[in-house]
Amino acid sequence: MWRRSDTPGRVTARPMPEADGDWPLPDFDRHGRDVLDTIHDYFAGIRQTPVAGPHDRRQLVDRLLTGIPEHGQEFDGILADTRDKIIPELLHWNHPRFHGYFPTCASLPGVLAETMTAALNVNAMLWRTSPAASALETVVLRWLAELCGYPPDADGLLLAGASPATLYALAAAREESYAAAGHDVRTHGLNAPGLPVGRVYTSDQAHSSVDKAALTLGIGLANVVRVPSDAHYRMRPEALEEALTRDIAAGARPLAVVATVGTTSTGAADPLRAVAAVCRRHGVWLHVDAAYGGFYPLAPSLAGRLEDVAVGDSLVVNPQKTLFVPLDSTALYCRRPGALANTFRLVPEYLAPAHGLGPGEEGDFMDLSPQLGRGFRALKLWWVIRSFGRRGLAARLEKAVRLAEDLRRRVREHPDWRCVADSVYPLLCLRYEPAPPGGAGGTAEDRARLDRLNAAVLEAVNASGEAFVSHSVIREGYVIRVSIGNIRTTEEDVAALWRLLTETGERERGAMAPVVRAG
Ligand code: PLP
């Protein structure tokens, strides 16, 4: 097959390697430059790009669905389709006015590191399959532990997300808890004779990844005990104490407690010291989910004001959420030596070292989770941390805190908007509560009306393409979550978001009023 470039002055006709071999390197050079140009244009224009659009799933699939190409296609066309058909139809997590969920934005050194990682294509399952990659994983794990205040010599590994991290931590906790009671779950699974019911304890605000772990581990949703939270959405240690005491007396086996530092809905942090004391009293494993809050102690204005994650037997932190490292990038730590390996180490002959472990050789990362083949996630962390340095990361986190504080001030000064469930992190739960009609009153019906109004404001803000926010439902009702932490967000972006929210609020209130009156 012969192909012809559509760009004048470029390579024009070259035989494509139809039956054999990779792209010729000169093609790679040319396409590589085009890809970098496309990435450049994407970031250069991102502020002018709608954050989100009205994307119709069926139309999108229909537009993209073609037969499998029988013959290799020209890359110029593939890149053009990516530029024209894919990028405009994305929700832009890198956009400076993306304030949904948690930030998860990619910094430019992280973007380049991903490219390099793909090029090296290392499998970091064993030391001998990835010497420098495994060594670098050890190094960045130490750095990350130091940045969030966890013992740097704890066992740890990089994973694809906080959800698998919590799953694996709970698997290790389950193994250890049952073993302490004389049950060999590793051999017999949950069919071990006489196995007491195992339970996991977490607050009513914890992330659904705890439930999913219980589903996956055969613990069952009914055995995830949701401990009530206090008025600030923090786990109540005395309620945890009561639940543990009651269950132990009834013959159940507490497998673990999961505490959260930076809850998903409101950015609350459970009181770790008190929770850890309860866990110690009952000999229960404490897993700390600091997926969101883990690195904020770096921000100077928060230093010394935050929970100490070092009390956890295991810890998950998520650099993909707050350290400007592209997806996916999560670290799981466990300070109970050997607990992860005791749970997951299983070495078939074809993976065993030919001559046993040499002096000073440590275990392999495949021993610490069920995953065997694993990518070289450490490189992007190394590049991002080195590019910005501890101080640079701290300054950027501090800026997010300051921008959130600025928005909180604006909200406080507005008569119709409320910032509910205040957090120390740059996460705000906002609620528009104008006076009636369409506005605040005391009845359940009034509250439901306000819920609908706030949902309508969120829909309209997101449909505008000017900014993106997400929501949650908490005790105060439906709230608009504004999460700040994108590396590109400025004071002007936050001011623009506030303008958009308040103007949209008034408009939606006006649109709702006749309905309210009619009802
Ligand atoms: N824990 C908390 C507190 C979260 O907010 C989230 C996601 O937002 C998770 C865990 C799950 O994270 P991941 O998407 O990395 O699995």
Side-chain angles (χ1 to χ4, degrees):
M1 178 187 162
W2 291 78
R3 68 183 183 80
R4 197 172 297 280
S5 165
D6 55 6
T7 313
R10 297 223 166 156
V11 179
T12 48
R14 180 195 293 276
M16 283 292 281
E18 180 95 314
D20 190 22
D22 204 347
W23 276 355
L25 275 173
D27 282 21
F28 174 78
D29 293 344
R30 182 165 72 85
H31 299 325
R33 275 190 288 276
D34 289 345
V35 169
L36 273 187
D37 285 348
T38 304
I39 295 174
H40 171 103
D41 293 347
Y42 163 73
F43 279 109
I46 196 158
R47 198 174 289 281
Q48 287 73 47
T49 304
V51 191
H55 310 293
D56 180 287
R57 176 188 287 224
R58 188 178 295 260
Q59 272 181 17
L60 264 177
V61 174
D62 286 350
R63 224 179 298 147
L64 296 173
L65 188 63
T66 63
I68 299 171
E70 207 58 48
H71 301 283
Q73 298 181 342
E74 294 194 13
F75 185 72
D76 295 330
I78 299 172
L79 184 59
D81 281 350
T82 307
R83 232 174 2 233
D84 302 340
K85 298 181 184 167
I86 303 291
I87 295 177
E89 300 291 350
L90 292 173
L91 172 62
H92 292 288
W93 287 70
N94 282 326
H95 198 291
R97 288 192 302 280
F98 177 96
H99 299 293
Y101 314 105
F102 286 127
T104 311
C105 75
S107 60
L108 294 179
V111 172
L112 288 183
E114 280 287 33
T115 310
M116 185 62 120
T117 304
L120 299 174
N121 194 37
V122 167
N123 189 332
M125 58 185 191
L126 305 169
W127 278 93
R128 66 182 182 283
T129 63
S130 59
S134 288
L136 196 60
E137 186 157 341
T138 306
V139 170
V140 298
L141 281 164
R142 279 178 168 266
W143 284 4
L144 292 174
E146 207 181 300
L147 292 177
C148 65
Y150 203 69
D153 56 349
D155 292 340
L157 77 167
L158 297 175
L159 292 168
S163 303
T166 291
L167 171 65
Y168 304 157
L170 292 185
R174 183 186 66 171
E175 178 101 4
E176 201 170 291
S177 174
Y178 278 131
H183 300 284
D184 183 358
V185 165
R186 184 176 164 96
T187 306
H188 301 291
L190 299 184
N191 300 316
L195 199 71
V197 169
R199 310 198 90 184
V200 169
Y201 301 77
T202 196
S203 95
D204 55 16
Q205 299 299 306
H207 189 260
S208 56
S209 50
V210 181
D211 302 289
K212 284 206 172 180
L215 285 176
T216 313
L217 293 169
I219 294 169
L221 289 178
N223 292 307
V224 177
V225 179
R226 291 289 190 157
V227 179
S229 54
D230 65 15
H232 302 287
Y233 294 99
R234 300 173 302 205
M235 187 194 284
R236 286 176 41 216
E238 72 284 2
L240 172 66
E241 173 80 52
E242 272 169 37
L244 286 168
T245 308
R246 184 193 59 225
D247 286 356
I248 292 166
R253 181 97 197 140
L255 304 177
V257 170
V258 181
T260 313
V261 173
T263 58
T264 314
S265 285
T266 67
D270 292 335
L272 289 189
R273 197 173 292 275
V275 168
V278 175
C279 291
R280 262 196 311 278
R281 250 193 315 280
H282 293 279
V284 181
W285 180 302
L286 173 59
H287 174 62
V288 175
D289 176 354
Y292 173 52
F295 295 108
Y296 272 102
L298 278 175
S301 66
L302 298 186
R305 292 173 56 199
L306 302 178
E307 296 296 326
D308 176 10
V309 297
V311 297
D313 294 290
S314 52
L315 169 74
V316 55
V317 287
N318 227 347
Q320 74 199 23
K321 284 189 170 54
T322 51
L323 279 197
F324 324 113
V325 181
L327 282 162
D328 44 33
S329 175
T330 293
L332 169 64
Y333 293 101
C334 179
R335 60 184 301 169
R336 295 203 177 191
L340 288 171
N342 290 342
T343 306
F344 293 116
R345 187 157 200 272
L346 193 152
V347 186
E349 182 52 41
Y350 43 83
L351 294 173
H355 313 290
L357 283 181
E361 277 186 316
E362 294 177 45
D364 297 309
F365 281 108
M366 77 157 189
D367 294 341
L368 304 184
S369 87
Q371 189 174 5
L372 176 58
R374 35 198 313 282
F376 184 6
R377 292 198 180 95
L379 191 75
K380 58 189 168 190
L381 282 154
W382 199 49
W383 283 27
V384 169
I385 297 172
R386 288 184 61 178
S387 297
F388 297 128
R390 188 201 300 256
R391 288 186 186 195
L393 293 172
R396 285 165 176 81
L397 294 177
E398 182 67 28
K399 180 170 178 199
V401 171
R402 186 165 45 74
L403 291 178
E405 205 38 60
D406 183 44
L407 183 56
R408 275 191 198 100
R409 183 186 49 73
R410 291 170 189 267
V411 177
R412 271 197 301 270
E413 288 168 4
H414 197 291
D416 295 335
W417 283 81
R418 263 207 315 145
C419 188
V420 292
D422 233 0
S423 169
V424 289
Y425 304 109
L427 171 67
L428 290 80
C429 289
L430 303 184
R431 199 163 148 86
Y432 181 44
E433 297 188 338
T443 67
E445 202 183 313
D446 291 327
R447 208 178 123 113
R449 200 178 297 142
L450 280 177
D451 286 351
R452 286 198 301 279
L453 176 59
N454 278 272
V457 173
L458 177 140
E459 290 295 332
V461 164
N462 290 350
S464 75
E466 292 295 314
F468 184 86
V469 288
S470 60
H471 83 284
S472 191
V473 175
I474 57 176
R475 283 173 215 137
E476 287 84 350
Y478 184 106
V479 290
I480 299 172
R481 285 172 77 266
V482 176
S483 168
I484 297 177
N486 183 296
I487 196 167
R488 284 164 273 277
T489 304
T490 62
E491 283 81 359
E492 292 73 39
D493 289 314
V494 174
L497 170 71
W498 179 234
R499 254 195 324 275
L500 181 64
L501 281 168
T502 48
E503 287 171 10
T504 310
E506 277 174 34
R507 210 173 43 248
E508 291 302 319
R509 178 193 181 193
M512 216 176 182
V515 178
V516 171
R517 274 197 292 275

